Amino acid sequence: MNELIVLIIACAILGSGVGFLAGLLGIGGGLVIVPILSMILLHFQVLPAEQVVLVAIATSLASILFTSTSSAIAHHKNGNVPWQLAPWVMTGVALGALISGFLASLLPANVVRIVFAVSVVLIALKMIFSSKNDSQTTRSLPNKGLLTLYTSITGGLSAMIGIGGGAVLVPLLTFFSVDMKKAIGCASACGIVIALFGSVGYISSGSQYFTLKEGFAGFVYLPALFGIVCTSWFTAPLGAKATHHLPVSTIKKIFAGLLVIMAVNMLAK
């Protein structure tokens, strides 16, 4: 069988799992896509090893644009997207995604990775604790300006490492007593914004390194993108439907477990 077809099939299998997680947890799927797609690209020797992670991040962001759209549509149908809150959050993540390249040039990659990993472990522990304790302190949302500032930070970090933002945005919103399912729906919608602005940057900056004839749009590897999206688009609504029926405490435990896996993966790089 042609190696390119095998690569696309492998990415389609990856996309099926990623789509379900995206719908279930409000994540874009980059937490899973980036490490696994990196291994796929290395196995098939698509490009030099030193460029693999960058291409995986760019392709992850591009796929999140489709997966988050499918997930957000499903959450909207279930009434889980708080549209009175979403515009302010989306503005923040858009600003963060736009300036993520600037932040990346100022901070050493190892510093960003370690701080991010430690932060998500603490978030995971907090979510595990709160899932066992239903009598949490109620916190009001900050004013719109502060909320935009907070979410711009999450957007910048997310675009920098190729994730949709739900891994940080959902815990942030639930910290301010936003319902878990509403927070996941909001994160799904915001993943579209992060992916859009982040992808534009990776496509424009990568156009000098790769060409469309080679199968690339900038740093985005199109065969892998096609493989992921052709399944994730259909499995994301299934995850969103599961969110609508699962208890909040169960969702929190799943989310916390995924955060820990992500943190370990980042520290092990």
Side-chain angles (χ1 to χ4, degrees):
M1 188 181 294
N2 185 287
E3 282 197 352
L4 183 60
I5 296 176
V6 177
L7 183 147
I8 292 173
I9 292 172
C11 290
I13 295 171
L14 169 61
S16 63
V18 164
F20 185 82
L21 287 174
L24 179 68
L25 302 175
I27 62 173
L31 302 178
V32 181
I33 294 173
V34 173
I36 296 180
L37 182 56
S38 295
M39 291 188 289
I40 293 173
L41 295 174
L42 280 173
H43 176 76
F44 288 98
Q45 299 179 336
V46 174
L47 67 164
E50 61 270 15
Q51 295 175 315
V52 162
V53 173
L54 186 61
V55 169
I57 289 173
T59 306
S60 170
L61 280 173
S63 71
I64 288 167
L65 182 59
F66 297 91
T67 305
S68 288
T69 299
S70 178
S71 176
I73 291 171
H75 279 292
H76 171 70
K77 289 179 178 178
N78 289 328
N80 283 337
V81 180
W83 290 113
Q84 75 282 4
L85 179 65
W88 298 97
V89 179
M90 293 173 85
T91 299
V93 297
L95 290 172
L98 278 174
I99 63 175
S100 63
F102 178 69
L103 290 176
S105 66
L106 288 178
L107 299 174
N110 285 339
V111 172
V112 175
R113 186 185 306 131
I114 291 171
V115 171
F116 195 85
V118 171
S119 298
V120 297
V121 167
L122 294 176
I123 291 169
L125 292 174
K126 174 66 172 65
M127 295 195 79
I128 292 171
F129 175 78
S130 65
S131 69
K132 298 177 181 179
N133 180 16
D134 294 327
S135 59
Q136 301 176 63
T137 303
T138 301
R139 302 180 184 86
S140 300
L141 281 165
N143 62 58
K144 300 301 189 293
L146 273 178
L147 182 62
T148 302
L149 174 63
Y150 293 154
T151 54
S152 67
I153 295 171
T154 68
L157 284 171
S158 301
M160 195 182 300
I161 60 173
I163 65 175
V168 185
L169 186 57
V170 172
L172 174 67
L173 294 176
T174 54
F175 176 80
F176 290 113
S177 303
V178 175
D179 177 76
M180 182 72 175
K181 295 175 182 178
K182 300 287 186 184
I184 288 173
C186 187
S188 294
C190 290
I192 302 170
V193 178
I194 293 175
L196 176 61
F197 285 96
S199 295
V200 168
Y202 279 109
I203 290 172
S204 59
S205 62
S207 59
Q208 58 185 312
Y209 297 98
F210 301 103
T211 66
L212 196 58
K213 289 182 179 180
E214 297 173 300
F216 289 86
F219 284 120
V220 177
Y221 187 49
L222 297 177
L225 174 63
F226 172 76
I228 293 168
V229 171
C230 74
T231 52
S232 66
W233 178 270
F234 299 101
T235 55
L238 299 178
K241 187 175 182 180
T243 298
H244 195 61
H245 296 288
L246 282 176
V248 170
S249 61
T250 301
I251 298 172
K252 283 187 175 182
K253 289 173 183 175
I254 296 171
F255 202 106
L258 189 63
L259 289 178
V260 171
I261 293 170
M262 180 193 71
V264 172
N265 175 68
M266 292 188 73
L267 288 173
K269 284 183 181 179

